[in-house]
Amino acid sequence: MPTKATTAMMRIAIAGGGGFANILAQQLAQSAHAIIVLSTRHHPEFEEYDCQVAVVDYSDVDDLRFTLQGVDLVISTISDTEQYNLIDAARRAHVRHFVPSEFEGALSHRPANDPLDRGSSSALEFLRNCASSRSRQMRFTVFSCGIFYERFAPQGLASYNMGAGSRIQNPGDYMLDLNRCVAEIPQTNSQGRSVHVTMTSVYDVARFVAAAIDLGISNWPREFKMRGAQVTTTRLAEICQEVTGVQFEVISRPYQEIVDWLRYYEETQDWTKWYQMLHLLQTANGRYSFSDPNLNDMVDFQPIGLRPWLQEVSARLG
């Protein structure tokens, strides 16, 4: 187990006021670092964690640059143009390190012309340019965790004030519906092999980020990978049935069937169903599965596994 580095106090900015930013702020507030939260409106709840809140305009790069003066590390939970402007402002403010809002699938598994991009490719390209610049170098690291367990929560990811941009934030939108005891899963990939998925609790992701900061940011790699569990989609449905003691309706879709349904929903312009099927296709293509969780071996805690997480959720359901 690597020895925890003795890190000097840093000034850390968390961009965004949503659920994940709140979870991160609570976790990082337990450290000796100074935490500032950037948001478009006041959030008194952050002040309970002794975090400073700065109300910002993400369309005003100069204002952002001024706010980021003296900040060592920026952790983004925003996307699209807002994040691009934030990167530009951080570069101009000489921020040392940037963590983009890329907390699910691993970088190497993103498809070309990604339909779920939301400005991701532009932001990452900008960050690569910043990292290679001689005049205003700013390094960056992506934290990849697979799928948040909380997508499978009875009230969905929306109950955590998260996931709106993915279009699958509500109960049953993605693979599992614990309320109705239904599982709709991609059974096989394009080669006919079983589909795997990597998963981590959002609370453990925050713990992983905090632990990585404790190790010191100077030697961070381009990507940290973490996981709480990795199973086939078939096994995912089986574990749900074992934990709940209820027989699920399991809809196992072969690869070509998913492709056909995706085409049908596009033709009928049923975009809700289209996004749900698109995420199943991306899952079948391995977007949310990876090996080598390099950060797991560097921290001194064990993330919660799938079965105990489901047991906790089932207990709350009664």
Side-chain angles (χ1 to χ4, degrees):
M1 180 72 65
T3 303
K4 181 185 289 188
T6 302
T7 57
M9 190 186 83
M10 293 189 299
R11 188 167 170 80
I12 301 171
I14 300 172
F20 187 43
N22 192 295
I23 292 168
L24 274 171
Q26 288 186 62
Q27 185 65 49
L28 296 182
Q30 301 175 36
S31 70
H33 304 295
I35 310 299
I36 178 172
V37 175
L38 312 183
S39 179
T40 57
R41 62 182 178 85
H42 290 287
H43 281 275
E45 66 273 19
F46 284 103
E47 296 174 3
E48 298 177 11
Y49 321 138
D50 293 325
C51 296
Q52 178 187 352
V53 178
V55 177
V56 298
D57 177 358
Y58 284 109
S59 66
D60 189 337
V61 174
D62 286 334
D63 177 57
L64 287 169
R65 179 190 60 78
F66 179 80
T67 304
L68 291 173
Q69 292 295 327
V71 167
D72 299 288
L73 171 67
V74 172
I75 304 173
S76 173
T77 68
I78 60 177
S79 59
D80 292 322
T81 303
E82 290 185 342
Q83 177 168 243
Y84 195 92
N85 290 342
L86 179 68
I87 295 168
D88 192 14
R91 175 185 65 90
R92 297 186 187 194
H94 300 286
V95 169
R96 292 165 53 197
H97 215 103
F98 195 101
V99 174
S101 184
E102 301 284 343
F103 292 95
E104 291 198 285
L107 288 178
S108 61
H109 294 190
R110 310 287 175 86
N113 302 315
D114 186 1
L116 301 175
D117 183 83
R118 296 174 59 215
S120 173
S121 57
S122 296
L124 290 170
E125 182 61 28
F126 192 6
L127 286 168
R128 291 186 190 100
N129 291 336
C130 292
S132 62
S133 171
R134 292 184 178 181
S135 58
R136 290 184 176 178
Q137 186 182 62
M138 178 175 69
R139 299 178 67 241
F140 74 97
T141 296
V142 170
F143 284 79
S144 299
C145 63
I147 289 295
F148 294 135
Y149 288 146
E150 286 73 14
R151 284 199 181 278
F152 308 135
Q155 291 78 40
L157 204 58
S159 63
Y160 297 85
N161 192 22
M162 295 172 59
S166 69
R167 308 289 187 94
I168 54 167
Q169 73 271 31
N170 296 315
D173 280 352
Y174 178 65
M175 290 209 291
L176 297 178
D177 189 334
L178 295 183
N179 301 300
R180 296 171 51 240
C181 298
V182 174
E184 183 177 13
I185 59 174
Q187 182 183 34
T188 54
N189 62 18
S190 58
Q191 289 79 43
R193 300 190 182 96
S194 297
V195 177
H196 289 76
V197 63
T198 298
M199 298 163 286
T200 315
S201 169
V202 65
Y203 293 96
D204 279 335
V205 174
R207 294 175 70 195
F208 273 116
V209 172
I213 290 171
D214 284 344
L215 294 171
I217 68 173
S218 60
N219 294 316
W220 278 7
R222 184 58 54 87
E223 183 174 17
F224 272 131
K225 297 178 185 177
M226 69 203 81
R227 72 179 178 208
Q230 185 173 40
V231 297
T232 66
T233 51
T234 300
R235 184 60 185 144
L236 173 65
E238 291 172 350
I239 293 173
C240 285
Q241 294 177 101
E242 292 166 7
V243 170
T244 62
V246 177
Q247 185 69 37
F248 274 51
E249 177 188 354
V250 181
I251 305 166
S252 298
R253 298 200 182 277
Y255 190 87
Q256 187 57 47
E257 184 178 315
I258 296 173
V259 172
D260 293 341
W261 275 113
L262 191 66
R263 185 180 300 114
Y264 171 78
Y265 290 133
E266 183 175 13
E267 291 172 351
T268 59
Q269 297 189 347
D270 187 340
W271 300 118
T272 297
K273 289 289 188 181
W274 185 85
Y275 271 104
Q276 291 174 6
M277 202 57 60
L278 176 63
H279 280 276
L280 292 188
L281 183 67
Q282 294 286 309
T283 303
N285 287 336
R287 183 182 186 120
Y288 306 115
S289 177
F290 53 80
S291 58
D292 184 28
N294 56 339
L295 188 51
N296 281 57
D297 293 333
M298 300 174 69
V299 301
D300 59 0
F301 70 90
Q302 287 295 322
I304 189 170
L306 173 62
R307 185 181 293 272
W309 183 84
L310 283 169
Q311 289 170 336
E312 289 184 8
V313 169
S314 297
R316 292 199 297 270
L317 280 174

